[in-house]
């Protein structure tokens, strides 16, 4: 990049969605105001080229979109709405990323940001001798008192997800194999939709809810809840929703349980809240799918399939990195 | 790293300094409350191994310390006090960083964080095929109404710095050359002190002040102020403070003007505020050194030296990367 400053000007938004910005991009740090009656939420996630994404399966636009989506999803998993983001990019000195590609990456972020009314308020760009690294920080807000923590699950709870899982992994598979990729797999992999509106309904339900976003696969996230809550989670295989059609059983199981990056939410809640939730989701034309239950026991997850109850480890596979 | 979760537990603070934490490390995102009467401040900076730091001149402890210091300095440059930080680390799969070294890096951050009462509330760790990348987000606070922006300078202003510059670059030079490094150069390079208390005095002065932290060298930061404020900045070479003794003129000029990473602050303010400031700094046993003035003209910086007035470009050199 010839001139960091002219690049920064080129990605600088010309208006803000949020009225609480005081000073955005262009100074040492961003200044903004919190909102009365709300907690602040902060999350950061870094994506490394050829570890978390590859140009083989995603355009720069998709990479930007997804880098922000990953973080917006973390805000959704706290029941919050995203308000600001900051982007730190390390650009390869080899020139493997052109300035036009970097602009496209920021454009991918902007498209998602505009959808949710999120403002870019800061960040930095610097050089690296290696691959592209993009680190996104998102700041969000949720009503005071709302704590949708992983540690909230209790025996007797319903376990639910907000939508089908496994399509992102299926998309990655098809793209890497060079096969024709069904459109909905492609979208799940390249432009996953963070479940902000589902998170907001969960936050507004007013009950005790444990919540996690499914970034590393259903098995992994269920284990995190079991671990944090000190409970056993049972998942009924026949109830796990997916949109994988005409695939072998082996792939369906692999993608659904261990695929990750679908960014649906997994949660646990008591029967009463569950009933309120299904009502409010239905009223909003959204769905919440019951996939299991929480029971007393060790901090582990079981899969109920064909009458068998087997331990479901985090396991799975890490993105597309072989031998990981 | 064998197990990310056990590593996260190992770096998790067992107590918080800030009473406004609601939920720190260990969930999808951190939850916290803002403080009434204050703006929130957010900054992010990424350091890439062998670009911004090298194990040749810094231990893992120093690298952690500095990664946080860089960001705390950005908060200081807004007049704020740092309250929270989030750390995202990409760890080389080659094993070039041991888990013990990563622990040391976090320890370096903790030492600085404890000094300023800053709490680690989130982040992530992931793998990379390349060098270590550490991205730190810091959240701070400053009294509502305080805006120490780069764009605040006006003709007639005093230009000042908060302390000597050039020692960090001198330290880097000695360490890379393998020469015996004077202790104060070593400290400036490995454990630079962010100027939080100076920033706080400036914030509390109640006047119009333009402010920048000197991360990329005096010349570069002065140019940023000139650029953002639409003014000309004149720096009087004979007034620029440094602690470089027994060095050649060439090195003194290079390190002082272009060295960077000293994390002193450079600012501009009107005569009346300047007088209040020198008083309040003196009262606190701190100093503010006048090094020049702001005049009308193009957005540029001049160096006044030996009766000559020459344009001072951002120029300089970028850290220790040759041919950059």
């Amino acid at each position: 990049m010839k001139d960091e400053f002219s690049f920064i000007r080129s990605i600088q938004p010309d208006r803000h969605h949020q009225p609480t910005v005081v000073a955005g991009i262009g100074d040492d740090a961003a200044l903004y105001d919190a909102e009365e009656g709300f907690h602040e939420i902060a999350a950061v996630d870094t994506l490394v080229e050829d570890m978390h994404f590859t140009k083989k399966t995603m355009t720069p636009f998709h990479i930007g979109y997804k880098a922000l989506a990953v973080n917006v999803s973390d805000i959704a998993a706290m029941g919050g709405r995203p308000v600001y983001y900051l982007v730190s990019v390390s650009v390869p000195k080899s020139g493997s990323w052109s300035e036009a590609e970097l602009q496209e990456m920021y454009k991918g972020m902007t498209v998602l940001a505009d959808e949710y009314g999120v403002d870019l308020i800061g960040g930095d760009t610097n050089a690296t001798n290696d691959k592209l690294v993009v680190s996104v920080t998102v700041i969000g807000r949720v009503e005071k008192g709302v704590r949708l923590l992983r540690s909230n699950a209790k025996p007797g709870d319903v376990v639910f997800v907000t939508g089908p899982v496994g399509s992102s992994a299926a998309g990655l598979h098809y793209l890497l194999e060079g096969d024709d990729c069904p459109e909905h797999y492609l979208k799940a992999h390249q432009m996953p939709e963070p479940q902000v509106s589902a998170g907001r309904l969960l936050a507004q339900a007013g009950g005790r809810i444990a919540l996690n976003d499914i970034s590393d696969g259903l098995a992994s996230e269920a284990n995190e809840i079991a671990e944090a809550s000190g409970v056993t989670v049972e998942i009924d295989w026949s109830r796990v929703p997916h949109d994988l059609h005409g695939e072998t059983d082996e792939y369906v199981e692999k993608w659904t349980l261990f695929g990750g990056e679908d960014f649906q939410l997994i949660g646990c809640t008591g029967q009463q809240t569950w009933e309120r939730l299904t009502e409010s989701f239905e009223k909003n034309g959204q769905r919440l799918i019951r996939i299991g239950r929480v029971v007393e026991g060790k901090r582990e997850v079981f899969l109920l399939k064909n009458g068998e109850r087997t331990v479901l480890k985090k396991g799975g596979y890490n993105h597309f990195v072989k031998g990981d």
Side-chain angles (χ1 to χ4, degrees), chain A residues 47-64 66 89-106 130-134 171-172 174-178 186 189-190 320:
Chain A
L47 301 190
V48 180
E49 185 172 8
D50 289 347
M51 290 297 298
H52 303 97
F53 65 86
T54 166
K55 279 187 181 175
K56 284 178 208 148
T57 69
M58 309 238 285
T59 65
F61 177 94
H62 294 136
I63 292 163
K66 198 158 174 175
V89 188
S90 304
V91 180
K93 293 186 74 175
S94 65
S96 62
W97 279 72
S98 69
E99 193 158 329
E101 286 178 315
L102 291 171
Q103 305 267 13
E104 271 301 299
M105 185 181 73
Y106 275 88
D130 307 313
K131 297 298 175 85
L132 188 100
V133 179
V134 51
L172 178 63
Y174 274 82
L175 288 167
L176 284 179
E177 296 288 317
L186 205 62
H189 174 62
Q190 296 178 332
F320 48 85

Side-chain angles (χ1 to χ4, degrees), chain A residues 287-305:
Chain A
R287 58 181 180 155
L288 218 49
I289 304 119
R290 178 181 207 142
I291 61 163
R293 60 178 191 148
V294 178
V295 297
E296 288 199 36
K298 285 198 291 185
R299 297 161 195 266
E300 55 191 353
V301 179
F302 287 93
L303 186 70
L304 311 182
K305 188 178 176 184

Side-chain angles (χ1 to χ4, degrees), chain A residues 47-178:
Chain A
L47 301 190
V48 180
E49 185 172 8
D50 289 347
M51 290 297 298
H52 303 97
F53 65 86
T54 166
K55 279 187 181 175
K56 284 178 208 148
T57 69
M58 309 238 285
T59 65
F61 177 94
H62 294 136
I63 292 163
Y65 182 99
K66 198 158 174 175
L68 181 58
V70 168
N71 283 281
V72 167
S73 176
D74 282 325
I75 302 294
M78 302 303 278
R81 59 182 173 82
V83 287
Y84 299 122
Y85 68 111
L86 300 93
V87 180
S88 186
V89 188
S90 304
V91 180
K93 293 186 74 175
S94 65
S96 62
W97 279 72
S98 69
E99 193 158 329
E101 286 178 315
L102 291 171
Q103 305 267 13
E104 271 301 299
M105 185 181 73
Y106 275 88
K107 199 171 156 193
M109 290 190 256
T110 306
V111 163
L112 184 67
D114 285 345
E115 192 178 327
Y116 290 101
V118 190
D119 292 322
L120 178 63
I121 56 167
D124 71 333
T125 64
N126 51 64
T128 168
N129 289 317
D130 307 313
K131 297 298 175 85
L132 188 100
V133 179
V134 51
S135 183
V136 178
T137 302
V138 175
I139 290 165
R141 280 170 195 157
V142 68
E143 289 79 3
K144 280 203 175 171
V146 177
R147 294 171 202 198
L148 306 184
L149 308 181
R150 291 175 190 168
S151 53
N152 284 349
K154 287 192 177 166
D157 277 3
V158 170
V159 180
F160 62 83
V161 291
T162 52
V165 290
S167 300
S168 172
L172 178 63
H173 174 87
Y174 274 82
L175 288 167
L176 284 179
E177 296 288 317

